């Protein structure tokens, strides 16, 4: 069971993102702001920080690719970015002391990077319909607020799951 | 961190960027259908999503019901005033329908572009990355869903089927930022005005109806419906109402901002429109040769 708990919870966050988007997003609150949930990405970053970098990158690749296939239908973007940012975060974690609050802050920074890179990638593929200032106001800021709240709520449960799975033993 | 840019790692990074670009190129081009690994992955996750969605929807539905109860009294009042209007409209429609059948009999023409088979479906997931506005429904190829079919709710058009797998299909919403997302629509008044729905204003959340001749006068609040000229969607599906009209950046045509009739968020049950007759058939009714 302890072997399966990480993939299962990653898959749960994968599904939860879509349900969240379905139920709570956008016009539901009668505003033009866009809140993008990144629970799965937060989980992958926490695996990288509190588990092992190798597994973080592997999970990033697998679930990023699943995300591409099932949701966006543009293959490669999220698979590459999840894995790449997991690597970047693991490098940054070596410079700072590893505790939950630093991890939460760093995750938020990584989410900001992810959003900006996805925006640029979409800009290359097709017209995104908004310039960077609009993007920052409509999308980036609300997304960061939402995900910072999500990190604060999910940090301790996620850390417990990952520590139970005991990556060092493998 | 000097070892970060060691040769080996740099090569791995470069190779993965090349793979990334190749994959994007592969997926962006206009594909007839998805490759089988994608279909398999989508079907498998779709199966789990379907199960996962039931309890969530049940709870969400309950909350909504409680909300509805609070507004019941006011709604009831408003609906009562509209009831008389409805009765009058109903009798009118009956007369017109009967006349339509008779006229068709005279012309010996039974098939119509307007006719369609509805396929009912439930939304089981939505793309959380909100760049590509897509939702996944629990009806696929084996239920008769095909690429490019129109998807509606009871209020109006919401999008079209982007891709299908055996048991699920992906619906691209009207608000999606895909330049290929073009729909031929018309405003039916004394004079019919045609145009295309192309693009979506993110900030004001309005659809853009483009390519309207510059000398046409459009009233605010006119109904926009699909024209059926594209050969993909049946005519007469409501799209929305005109909010404002502006001339385009070159001043040659006009752009109308259209408020979508259907709610593009908070979707639950949708209907996939299976057109009985497509333009390809040799029957005379399909002889509108307009490209989408």
């Amino acid at each position: 069971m302890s072997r399966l708990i990480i993939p299962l919870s990653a898959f749960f966050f994968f599904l939860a993102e879509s349900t969240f988007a379905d139920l709570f997003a956008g016009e539901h609150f009668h505003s033009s702001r866009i809140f993008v949930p990144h629970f799965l990405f937060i989980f992958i970053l926490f695996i990288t920080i509190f588990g092992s970098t190798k597994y973080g990158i592997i999970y990033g690749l697998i679930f990023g690719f699943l995300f591409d296939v099932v949701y966006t239908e543009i293959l490669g973007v999220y698979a590459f970015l999840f894995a790449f940012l997991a690597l970047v975060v693991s490098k940054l974690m070596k410079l700072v002391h590893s505790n939950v609050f630093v991890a939460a802050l760093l995750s938020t920074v990584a989410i900001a990077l992810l959003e900006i890179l996805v925006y640029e990638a979409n800009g290359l593929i097709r017209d995104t319909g908004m310039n960077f200032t609009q993007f920052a106001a409509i999308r980036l800021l609300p997304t960061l607020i939402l995900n910072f709240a999500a990190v604060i709520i999910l940090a301790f449960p996620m850390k417990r799951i990952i520590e139970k799975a005991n990556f060092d033993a493998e | 961190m000097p070892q970060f840019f060691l040769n080996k790692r740099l090569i791995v990074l470069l190779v993965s960027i090349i793979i990334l670009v190749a994959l994007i190129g592969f997926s962006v081009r206009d594909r007839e259908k998805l490759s089988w690994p994608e279909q398999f992955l989508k079907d498998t996750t779709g199966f789990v999503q379907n199960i996962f969605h039931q309890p969530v929807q049940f709870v969400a539905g309950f909350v909504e019901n409680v909300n509805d109860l609070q507004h019941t009294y006011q709604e009831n009042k408003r609906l009562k005033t509209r009831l008389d209007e409805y009765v009058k409209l109903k009798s009118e429609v009956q007369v017109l329908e009967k006349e339509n059948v008779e006229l068709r009999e005279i012309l010996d023409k039974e098939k119509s572009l307007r006719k369609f088979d509805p396929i009912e479906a439930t939304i089981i997931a939505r793309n959380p990355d909100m760049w590509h506005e897509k939702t996944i429904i629990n009806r696929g190829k084996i239920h008769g869903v095909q690429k490019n079919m129109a998807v509606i709710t009871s209020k109006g058009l919401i999008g079209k089927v982007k891709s299908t797998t055996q048991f699920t299909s992906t619906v691209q919403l009207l608000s999606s930022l895909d330049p290929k997302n073009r729909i031929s629509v018309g405003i039916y008044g004394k004079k019919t005005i045609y145009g295309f729905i192309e693009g979506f204003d993110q900030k004001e959340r309005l659809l853009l109806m483009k390519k309207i001749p510059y000398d046409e006068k459009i009233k605010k609040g006119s109904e926009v419906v699909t024209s059926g000229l594209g050969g993909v969607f049946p005519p007469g599906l409501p799209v929305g109402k005109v909010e404002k009209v502006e001339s385009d950046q070159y001043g040659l045509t006009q752009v109308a901002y259209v408020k979508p009739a259907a709610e593009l968020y908070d979707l639950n049950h949708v209907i996939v429109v299976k057109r009985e007759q497509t333009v390809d058939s040799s029957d005379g009714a399909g002889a509108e040769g307009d490209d989408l």
Side-chain angles (χ1 to χ4, degrees):
Chain A
M1 188 60 206
S2 65
R3 218 168 236 285
L4 278 174
I5 192 142
I6 296 283
L8 281 181
S9 23
F11 196 68
F12 171 78
F13 287 121
F14 175 77
L15 296 179
E17 271 185 13
S18 123
T19 309
F20 184 90
D22 198 14
L23 292 180
F24 299 108
E27 250 157 51
H28 210 69
F29 295 129
H30 297 285
S31 77
S32 62
R33 292 189 192 88
I34 300 170
F35 296 88
V36 185
H38 282 300
F39 311 139
L40 174 67
F41 185 54
I42 295 170
F43 190 60
I44 287 166
L45 291 177
F46 270 63
I47 293 175
T48 319
I49 296 167
F50 297 111
S52 81
T53 309
K54 196 180 116 197
Y55 277 92
I57 291 170
I58 291 171
Y59 275 105
L61 271 179
I62 293 173
F63 279 95
F65 194 70
L66 195 64
F67 193 98
D68 284 330
V69 169
V70 176
Y71 294 138
T72 66
E73 291 191 6
I74 292 178
L75 307 180
V77 176
Y78 278 93
F80 177 78
L81 287 178
F82 280 3
F84 176 70
L85 287 172
L87 182 69
V88 170
V89 164
S90 81
K91 294 287 169 198
L92 285 176
M93 272 323 266
K94 281 184 186 154
L95 302 177
V96 290
H97 192 66
S98 154
N99 67 39
V100 177
F101 300 103
V102 175
L105 275 179
L106 213 56
S107 308
T108 318
V109 173
I111 286 165
L113 273 175
L114 175 75
E115 275 291 309
I116 292 168
L117 288 171
V118 170
Y119 168 75
E120 294 297 336
N122 276 308
L124 288 178
I125 295 166
R126 60 173 67 118
D127 188 19
T128 51
M130 48 170 107
N131 58 32
F132 194 82
T133 346
Q134 281 174 331
F135 160 73
I138 297 175
R139 241 187 104 103
L140 188 59
L141 208 63
T143 300
L144 285 185
I145 292 168
L146 167 74
N147 284 294
F148 189 64
V151 169
I152 289 170
I153 295 167
L154 294 172
F156 285 102
M158 277 184 182
K159 195 172 175 245
R160 273 196 63 180
I161 291 172
I162 291 160
E163 275 166 358
K164 251 191 191 167
N166 205 4
F167 278 99
D168 301 328
E170 287 178 38
Chain B
M1 342 167 247
Q3 79 266 41
F4 181 71
F5 289 111
L6 267 178
N7 262 345
K8 197 180 148 204
R9 293 224 174 146
L10 197 62
I11 288 167
V12 169
L13 191 68
L14 284 178
V15 169
S16 51
I17 287 177
I18 291 168
I19 294 173
L20 168 73
V21 171
L23 272 175
I24 291 175
F26 169 72
S27 44
V28 167
R29 80 194 160 123
D30 206 11
R31 286 189 288 174
E32 262 310 301
K33 58 178 192 203
L34 299 172
S35 60
W36 70 262
E38 282 174 88
Q39 293 204 17
F40 174 74
L41 272 178
K42 284 194 113 170
D43 275 336
T44 322
T45 44
F47 177 71
V48 183
Q49 273 162 341
N50 216 345
I51 298 166
F52 189 73
H53 195 73
Q54 309 286 345
V56 173
Q57 208 54 53
F58 178 76
V59 174
F62 180 75
V63 173
E64 212 162 275
N65 284 345
V66 173
N67 255 338
D68 280 350
L69 270 181
Q70 288 178 325
H71 302 298
T72 310
Y73 178 69
Q74 283 185 338
E75 259 171 28
N76 197 7
K77 251 206 247 170
R78 220 174 334 135
L79 287 175
K80 264 183 191 158
T81 55
R82 300 199 58 178
L83 209 58
D84 300 334
E85 239 175 271
Y86 173 74
V87 171
K88 195 173 142 238
L89 258 179
K90 198 181 160 195
S91 59
E92 243 172 80
V93 167
Q94 270 174 348
V95 174
L96 285 174
E97 229 165 45
K98 207 178 151 207
E99 199 180 286
N100 195 320
V101 170
E102 278 168 9
L103 288 173
R104 270 179 198 286
E105 267 168 16
I106 295 170
L107 281 172
D108 210 15
K109 186 176 132 186
E110 275 167 7
K111 284 180 178 175
S112 161
L113 283 172
R114 196 173 282 276
K115 270 191 178 167
F116 59 79
D117 282 336
I119 302 170
E120 276 161 37
T122 308
I123 302 270
I124 53 171
R126 188 189 182 94
N127 178 11
D129 142 328
M130 282 166 233
W131 288 112
H132 318 275
E133 293 280 37
K134 283 173 188 151
T135 57
I136 301 170
I137 56 174
N138 65 347
R139 288 283 180 272
K141 267 183 215 160
I142 57 162
H143 307 102
V145 180
Q146 276 162 19
K147 202 184 160 178
N148 281 333
M149 282 179 175
V151 182
I152 58 174
T153 64
S154 54
K155 284 179 195 153
L157 187 71
I158 59 163
K160 69 169 182 187
V161 175
K162 182 87 200 303
S163 61
T164 53
T165 65
Q166 295 302 322
F167 304 103
T168 65
S169 0
T170 306
V171 178
Q172 185 174 40
L173 297 184
L174 287 176
S175 53
S176 188
L177 291 164
D178 187 348
K180 287 174 205 149
N181 209 3
R182 267 169 99 188
I183 297 152
S184 172
V185 293
I187 297 169
Y188 295 93
K190 270 183 200 153
K191 195 178 162 205
T192 313
I193 304 164
Y194 292 111
F196 289 104
I197 294 285
E198 271 181 24
F200 183 71
D201 192 315
Q202 285 274 357
K203 200 144 185 230
E204 309 198 36
R205 311 212 69 82
L206 298 172
L207 295 164
L208 305 178
M209 179 178 169
K210 291 184 180 168
K211 307 229 162 63
I212 307 166
Y214 71 96
D215 53 349
E216 302 284 5
K217 296 230 167 21
I218 299 169
K219 263 190 230 147
K220 202 182 143 189
S222 348
E223 300 268 358
V224 179
V225 297
T226 56
S227 68
L229 295 178
V232 178
F233 296 164
L237 303 176
V239 175
K241 273 190 180 142
V242 175
E243 285 267 301
K244 60 177 178 185
V245 185
E246 280 172 10
S247 70
D248 80 338
Q249 51 182 342
Y250 307 114
L252 296 172
T253 55
Q254 296 183 89
V255 179
Y257 288 76
V258 179
K259 190 175 167 53
E263 185 88 48
L264 293 178
Y265 282 93
D266 200 17
L267 295 164
N268 197 2
H269 296 288
V270 297
I271 297 162
V272 181
V273 174
K274 189 177 178 184
R275 200 168 170 173
E276 253 180 26
Q277 192 183 26
T278 52
V279 180
D280 304 337
S281 65
S282 53
D283 200 284
E288 352 150 272
D290 201 8
D291 286 327
L292 185 71

